[in-house]
Amino acid sequence: MTGAALCAVLALIVASWLVRDVRAVDADQLWRYWAGFGEARPQAMPATSPLDVALLVVYVAAAVAALRSSVAATVLVATGVITLAVRLPGLWGIGSHRMESVFSDDLRSRALICAFAALAAGIALFITAGAGRRPPAGSYEQLPTRPGPGASVAAFLMLGAAGAVLIAWEIRQMVRYPEIYPEWYVGGDRVPHGVIDPPPGWGTAALALLCLVAGASALFHAVHARPFGLVAAALLLPGGVLGVARVVHYDLLDHFGSLSTETQLTLLSWIFELLAALVVLIALAPRGFADVPGPYGPGQGPGYGPPGHHPTPYPGQQPPAPGYGYPQGGGFGPPPPPSQPPPGW
């Protein structure tokens, strides 16, 4: 219950800021501003970004998962990691000169309080996840699951490629616009962003690292691969959706051949981000193999396998002799007759 309560607090914080932006900016203009449309004319500077919508979904899903007892520890850890990653820059960015000129003192004070509260909740999620780890109370409880072979390969390929694409664009931008660094990562007067959100470069780097870690975890069928992969896909989805919205809004595919090579690659990257996020969500959303302890690995054990499969015997156990004969025990009916009569018969 503690983990669910912490996730609910984080969700309420994000939801309150989204409601503030909808009222102050207007929902239609907020959407256009987030999508990067040139005709967007917001009445006030938005305090949020599409990242906050994805975080709201993550927090609600984590609160629901936290109620599922032993399965919740890895979900709480993934939620705590992403919370610390996106809220930490607020400690030094909210008080910058640009924030002072764009947002009121009252708004910045509220944002700083929310940043401290979110960081405290993120740390508390780690503590709760560690303290709440225990064996399942009974057979009715669901065990943590590992992704299956097909889901693991799909998540590894999609998340690994998405992380590589994000890093490649960061390197390209660093070469093309060196004057905006290091503000692009740590915040500054030349880099606009919401008062509660991290600088764009910081957020992109955190997402790329999360994608790479989640992809590698999926490849090795780690227990934490599903929650980390689902969180990474959820945060990757807004960039792909808004990128495709720009493509449709400006009819860029109709003039794809006349665009520059860099613009063409940008369009393809947006489309790939959307597809990668959807593929990972579809692949990792279903439950995988139960994390059954023992020498057989996840989802395996004596008798595991397709029809006609003969499982590996326990150490020291002799395999059954070929052919027919009496059962070796464990069936119904009387026991088999002895091979030789007792003495005196």
Side-chain angles (χ1 to χ4, degrees):
M1 292 297 294
T2 304
L6 291 171
C7 293
V9 169
L10 291 170
L12 287 175
I13 292 175
V14 176
S16 65
W17 283 102
L18 291 172
V19 171
R20 178 266 171 193
D21 275 0
V22 170
R23 291 180 175 178
V25 181
D26 183 72
D28 181 65
Q29 291 298 323
L30 181 63
W31 155 258
R32 292 177 177 274
Y33 178 82
W34 283 350
F37 296 165
E39 64 273 17
R41 296 293 183 269
Q43 301 175 2
M45 183 65 181
T48 60
S49 70
L51 173 66
D52 295 293
V53 179
L55 285 175
L56 178 60
V57 175
V58 169
Y59 290 146
V60 172
V64 174
L67 300 175
R68 298 168 64 181
S69 187
S70 62
V71 113
T74 53
V75 177
L76 297 181
V77 171
T79 307
V81 166
I82 196 60
T83 299
L84 295 181
V86 300
R87 299 309 183 202
L88 187 61
L91 298 183
W92 63 81
I94 294 175
S96 64
H97 293 294
R98 183 187 177 278
M99 293 296 179
E100 293 178 357
S101 62
V102 175
F103 299 100
S104 64
D105 293 341
D106 178 64
L107 201 65
R108 288 186 294 108
S109 298
R110 287 160 50 192
L112 190 59
I113 293 173
C114 289
F116 276 110
L119 291 173
I123 296 174
L125 285 175
F126 286 111
I127 299 174
T128 304
R133 294 187 64 183
R134 60 171 178 79
S139 59
Y140 62 88
E141 283 196 7
Q142 293 181 340
L143 294 171
T145 60
R146 305 171 186 264
S152 296
V153 173
F156 168 71
L157 293 177
M158 294 294 102
L159 290 176
V165 168
L166 292 175
I167 293 174
W169 280 114
E170 284 297 307
I171 296 174
R172 169 59 178 166
Q173 183 168 266
M174 187 180 298
V175 173
R176 189 170 182 179
Y177 305 106
E179 65 276 4
I180 64 174
Y181 291 89
E183 288 89 345
W184 181 253
Y185 289 106
V186 298
D189 297 339
R190 292 177 290 184
V191 180
H193 60 89
V195 69
I196 68 169
D197 290 319
W202 181 289
T204 303
L207 179 56
L209 182 61
L210 179 63
C211 288
L212 294 178
V213 171
S217 302
L219 181 64
F220 292 101
H221 305 279
V223 175
H224 59 269
R226 289 186 65 240
F228 273 86
L230 290 173
V231 170
L235 300 183
L236 190 66
L237 188 61
V241 170
L242 295 177
V244 172
R246 294 186 203 106
V247 173
V248 175
H249 181 74
Y250 291 108
D251 297 324
L252 296 179
L253 291 180
D254 295 340
H255 313 285
F256 187 82
S258 61
L259 300 175
S260 64
T261 302
E262 184 170 348
T263 305
Q264 291 176 347
L265 292 176
T266 302
L267 268 59
L268 294 177
S269 298
W270 290 337
I271 297 173
F272 173 74
E273 286 183 21
L274 176 60
L275 293 177
L278 293 177
V279 168
V280 173
L281 289 174
I282 294 173
L284 296 183
R287 288 181 58 83
F289 293 113
D291 187 27
V292 178
Y296 297 97
Q300 298 184 14
Y304 175 83
H309 169 76
H310 297 287
T312 304
Y314 290 100
Q317 178 185 358
Q318 296 297 324
Y324 297 96
Y326 288 101
Q328 300 299 313
F332 295 99
S339 58
Q340 294 181 355
W345 279 45

